[in-house]
Amino acid sequence: MVQYKGARGLQLAGPHRDLSFPASQLFVNCDFFPQEFSIVVTLKVVGNVSLLPRCPWRKCNEYIFTLLEDASGRMLLGLRFSQEKLHLLFLGQRGIERVTLKAVWLADNRWHTLVLATAGCHTTLTMDCGVPVHKRPFPVALNTEGSRFYVGSRKRWKGSFSGLLRQLVLLPGSDATSRVCPSSEPELAALSVPRPLLGLPILPPRNEVMIYPYEAEVRVTLGTRPPCTELERGQLWFDTLKRGLFLCDGEAWASMLEEKQRLDYVEDYQDIYTNSETFDVEVFRIPSVGLFAATANREAKPGSGIYKWNDGKFELYQNINTFEALAWKYFTVGNKMFLAVANSRGQDKGGQELSIIYKWSPQKLRFLRYQMLETHCARDWEAFHIQDETFLAVANHRQGDNNHNIDSVIYKWNPGTKAFEVNQTIETSGAYDWEFFTVGPYHFLVVANTFNGVTTQVDSTIYIWLSGRFQPFQAITTFGATDWEMFQIGSRVFLAVANSQKLYETGPSIYAINSTIYELNTTTKTFLKFQDIVTYSAVDWEFFTLGDEKFLVVANSYDGTSYSLNSVIYRWQGYEGFVPVHQLPTIGCRDWEFFTSAEGVYLMYSSAREPLSKVFKLKTY
């Protein structure tokens, strides 16, 4: 929120999910855009500079809003401007057509209110309640089903709005001009300005002019860490001890400026005696409640444990009956919070295998059973969002004792039934892990295939989201793949696979093998091998950042003779790739989780051989 010459506007950081919404929110009972409509917009554009970096001024355009088809990204309607023109773009019979209104001077560092009205035989533009400009009609009726409005962009950085936006109103009918004009302040004529933009700070005494053209109402708190809730969102805290400046995002303090942390050494911090051997740990935070860790334990009774962080330690909070649980996944649907467990066997031997989704109860402060889904030796859950839709993918490892070539399933949240329903099935071979990630506008899902019934040398496949479903993008040969970890360093995108063993139809298993890091090549549009790292039946990678430094830690679980092995932390060294910097003694290590709290920065690992998980504290300087 920025103030300029007695009025406030919003300055958009760029294309963002929060600056878009489905067209169905406006067009509730009809999927067609009205042929008679008005658009009222108040804005300020920076003049005498390029609208976009490295773009000649007269060739640049910025979008005030667009209406795009969700599936294809095709534009149905848009309003954009250049230095001297305003364009109303729409999808016509010959593709994208436009109504252009010339001699519209916006880039002059002043506020302007535009009223664009379209009806019957003409389109009319009124600027600052001046003389209307007439143009040809807007001739088509647009079907808005499955489309989405984007404020200040076309869903991408190019052409995004760089000025200040004060109001943006869409009205049915072409009579908005008479509702806005005449006005005592025609450049700021108001029809529907958001309430936070209406108020202004109190002027200094003696009617002095504000020193700076941009002001914001911000409080800066000194001293010890203050609370950070929705009430403090947008406020600043200066940590006098760490000499750091932090911004409250409504849940936690995000670092804006502080002395960069550097990893010094790793300290054994806490032993967590679990109900039985632990195959996975999920660390998550429930807003206004706290930090939790869910352990996936082998024994059904007392089951798997959920631990809560209290005074710098994890304490048992809740037990849930599970059946050889192999993984947990925490996710949200709107303001609802869920925890899904992957059970690898049924309640009775040979019985139906059911994995269960639990829902957080704000009243009981517990996770309660919500939905059961049939799975087959489930190894992993992956939750993700595409546009406004929530998906949940399960890695089905095998059916029965021998059939590893089965379908894994992607479920989709149905807002009507308030349940997950089958959306797509994908053939997998001993699936062990799913990893969802996004690169630019593209969504990917990669599976770790472990075993096809004959050998562990199988293809693990990367899928891309196209036309409402995941389709194969690239196959990568892996050796008993158990985990994928996606991470970014700057603009570079990487995928690390944990290879667990080489096993062929004849011959012994080999556990000391390479796990591989792949990098996305933007020229070939494929992932290419970047670095091999020798691992010992690796089952997990975890990427984390400390200050400016980037790290990967691997879970080494077995070398063919012993489960007592060192798991290794690798540090990013640029051209050299990742180099080993710390070795951590572990026993049957299955999973690593990185987390932060008010007390510090930590790594937690789970043991599949002992009922003991450990928390390590990362000491920094």
Side-chain angles (χ1 to χ4, degrees):
M1 187 166 62
V2 174
Q3 182 179 326
Y4 182 80
K5 291 188 177 180
R8 285 177 172 175
L10 297 179
Q11 188 171 48
L12 312 181
H16 194 278
R17 182 181 182 85
D18 291 342
L19 295 173
S20 70
F21 58 92
S24 58
Q25 288 187 11
L26 290 186
F27 307 117
V28 178
N29 298 316
C30 178
D31 289 328
F32 287 92
F33 200 94
Q35 287 188 277
E36 293 193 4
F37 63 91
S38 301
I39 299 170
V40 181
V41 57
T42 299
L43 47 72
K44 187 194 85 72
V45 180
V46 179
N48 302 320
V49 295
S50 171
L51 281 172
L52 294 170
R54 301 180 302 281
C55 179
W57 169 259
R58 293 179 180 273
K59 295 183 180 180
C60 285
N61 294 276
E62 291 189 1
Y63 287 91
I64 298 171
F65 81 91
T66 55
L67 177 64
L68 307 181
E69 287 184 341
D70 248 353
S72 65
R74 181 173 60 170
M75 184 164 61
L76 301 179
L77 181 69
L79 186 64
R80 77 182 187 194
F81 65 90
S82 57
Q83 187 183 26
E84 305 172 7
K85 299 175 184 178
L86 185 72
H87 308 279
L88 179 65
L89 309 171
F90 59 90
L91 182 64
Q93 296 178 348
R94 295 173 294 178
I96 298 296
E97 302 181 35
R98 64 185 176 184
V99 177
T100 298
L101 297 140
K102 299 181 180 179
V104 181
W105 298 90
L106 296 178
D108 56 2
N109 287 306
R110 295 170 56 191
W111 288 104
H112 291 290
T113 295
L114 310 176
V115 181
L116 189 72
T118 297
C121 59
H122 60 271
T123 297
T124 302
L125 173 69
T126 305
M127 180 171 168
D128 300 335
C129 293
V131 179
V133 178
H134 301 281
K135 202 67 178 176
R136 67 183 178 86
F138 176 79
V140 296
L142 297 174
N143 189 330
T144 63
E145 184 178 3
S147 63
R148 191 175 185 88
F149 280 99
Y150 289 84
V151 177
S153 77
R154 192 182 173 179
K155 196 184 175 181
R156 56 193 184 194
W157 281 95
K158 184 178 180 180
S160 58
F161 182 64
S162 61
L164 302 183
L165 191 61
R166 181 167 170 84
Q167 72 175 334
L168 178 59
V169 188
L170 172 65
L171 294 172
S174 58
D175 60 346
T177 306
S178 61
R179 298 177 60 178
V180 173
C181 301
S183 171
S184 59
E185 290 184 284
E187 293 183 351
L188 293 168
L191 179 63
S192 180
V193 177
R195 185 177 297 275
L197 300 180
L198 291 174
L200 292 174
I202 299 174
L203 289 173
R206 300 184 303 278
N207 293 325
E208 293 176 2
V209 178
M210 294 289 188
I211 298 174
Y212 301 104
Y214 297 92
E215 301 93 15
E217 294 177 353
V218 177
R219 296 195 313 272
V220 180
T221 304
L222 298 177
T224 58
R225 181 184 296 262
C228 175
T229 65
E230 281 296 326
L231 295 176
E232 287 82 26
R233 178 188 286 271
Q235 300 307 315
L236 297 173
W237 163 52
F238 184 74
D239 187 340
T240 53
L241 293 177
K242 295 183 178 180
R243 289 179 287 179
L245 186 64
F246 299 85
L247 175 69
C248 176
D249 64 6
E251 294 183 8
W253 291 101
S255 172
M256 295 180 63
L257 180 66
E258 65 176 324
E259 287 189 321
K260 299 298 183 181
Q261 291 179 302
R262 300 191 66 182
L263 180 59
D264 191 5
Y265 61 94
V266 181
E267 179 183 71
D268 191 343
Y269 183 77
Q270 182 186 5
D271 291 338
I272 301 177
Y273 294 94
T274 53
N275 297 330
S276 57
E277 298 92 326
T278 303
F279 297 98
D280 177 67
V281 177
E282 177 80 346
V283 178
F284 56 94
R285 189 181 300 274
I286 297 178
S288 303
V289 180
L291 181 72
F292 292 85
T295 60
N297 297 118
R298 181 174 60 84
E299 295 292 342
K301 293 182 180 181
S304 295
I306 298 175
Y307 298 81
K308 187 173 186 292
W309 187 263
N310 286 321
D311 297 326
K313 300 283 185 178
F314 277 119
E315 298 175 355
L316 185 62
Y317 184 83
Q318 181 182 358
N319 277 320
I320 294 179
N321 285 344
T322 53
F323 303 96
E324 290 190 16
L326 295 180
W328 284 104
K329 187 64 182 181
Y330 173 81
F331 61 96
T332 60
V333 180
N335 59 357
K336 303 179 182 67
M337 292 156 283
F338 296 93
L339 194 60
V341 64
N343 286 321
S344 63
R345 69 168 178 84
Q347 185 171 354
D348 302 314
K349 187 175 181 179
Q352 185 183 32
E353 297 175 19
L354 296 172
S355 290
I356 300 173
I357 302 171
Y358 297 87
K359 181 176 179 291
W360 175 258
S361 170
Q363 293 77 31
K364 297 185 177 181
L365 297 178
R366 289 287 188 274
F367 282 99
L368 305 178
R369 181 176 294 195
Y370 185 81
Q371 183 181 359
M372 295 185 293
L373 296 170
E374 184 177 8
T375 54
H376 302 286
C377 194
R379 294 276 177 173
D380 180 57
W381 284 107
E382 179 73 341
F384 51 92
H385 301 276
I386 298 178
Q387 299 298 341
D388 279 338
E389 297 178 321
T390 304
F391 297 85
L392 196 57
V394 65
N396 284 325
H397 186 65
R398 69 171 184 270
Q399 190 168 8
D401 293 330
N402 300 310
N403 184 15
H404 290 79
N405 299 307
I406 59 173
D407 287 344
S408 290
V409 182
I410 300 172
Y411 299 88
K412 179 180 172 182
W413 175 261
N414 185 329
T417 61
K418 292 182 171 53
F420 283 95
E421 300 173 355
V422 174
N423 184 71
Q424 183 181 355
T425 58
I426 295 179
E427 293 182 1
T428 52
S429 299
Y432 216 98
D433 177 64
W434 283 110
E435 176 84 349
F436 174 82
F437 61 96
T438 297
V439 180
Y442 301 103
H443 306 289
F444 297 91
L445 191 63
V446 56
V447 65
N449 284 324
T450 305
F451 185 61
N452 63 7
V454 178
T455 176
T456 59
Q457 183 177 338
V458 293
D459 284 344
S460 292
T461 304
I462 305 170
Y463 298 88
I464 186 171
W465 179 261
L466 292 174
S467 303
R469 62 189 293 108
F470 284 102
Q471 302 180 27
F473 173 79
Q474 182 183 353
I476 296 177
T477 300
T478 52
F479 298 89
T482 53
D483 179 63
W484 284 102
E485 179 81 352
M486 178 271 183
F487 56 92
Q488 288 186 253
I489 299 177
S491 61
R492 301 171 69 177
V493 178
F494 297 90
L495 268 179
V497 65
N499 287 321
S500 64
Q501 61 176 305
K502 286 185 179 179
L503 172 65
Y504 301 98
E505 194 168 9
T506 58
S509 292
I510 301 173
Y511 300 98
I513 58 175
N514 285 332
S515 290
T516 305
I517 301 170
Y518 299 88
E519 182 178 3
L520 179 62
N521 185 299
T522 55
T523 302
T524 64
K525 294 182 174 59
T526 56
F527 283 91
L528 303 179
K529 182 184 292 187
F530 172 77
Q531 183 180 0
D532 281 328
I533 296 177
V534 176
T535 54
Y536 300 89
S537 193
V539 287
D540 184 55
W541 283 108
E542 178 79 356
F543 176 80
F544 62 96
T545 299
L546 269 180
D548 289 331
E549 295 184 321
K550 320 294 181 184
F551 298 91
L552 272 176
V553 57
V554 67
N556 286 322
S557 66
Y558 186 59
D559 65 1
T561 58
S562 175
Y563 294 97
S564 296
L565 300 171
N566 287 329
S567 291
V568 183
I569 298 177
Y570 300 86
R571 183 176 61 209
W572 173 252
Q573 292 284 90
Y575 181 77
E576 300 173 73
F578 285 92
V579 299
V581 290
H582 293 282
Q583 298 192 22
L584 307 178
T586 55
I587 300 176
C589 184
R590 284 291 294 264
D591 183 43
W592 281 105
E593 288 291 312
F594 172 81
F595 67 94
T596 62
S597 74
E599 293 79 13
V601 187
Y602 304 88
L603 280 173
M604 180 178 180
Y605 97 88
S606 64
S607 171
R609 303 302 299 178
E610 293 185 347
L612 175 66
S613 293
K614 276 184 173 290
V615 177
F616 296 97
K617 189 169 187 178
L618 304 182
K619 305 296 287 186
T620 59
Y621 66 93

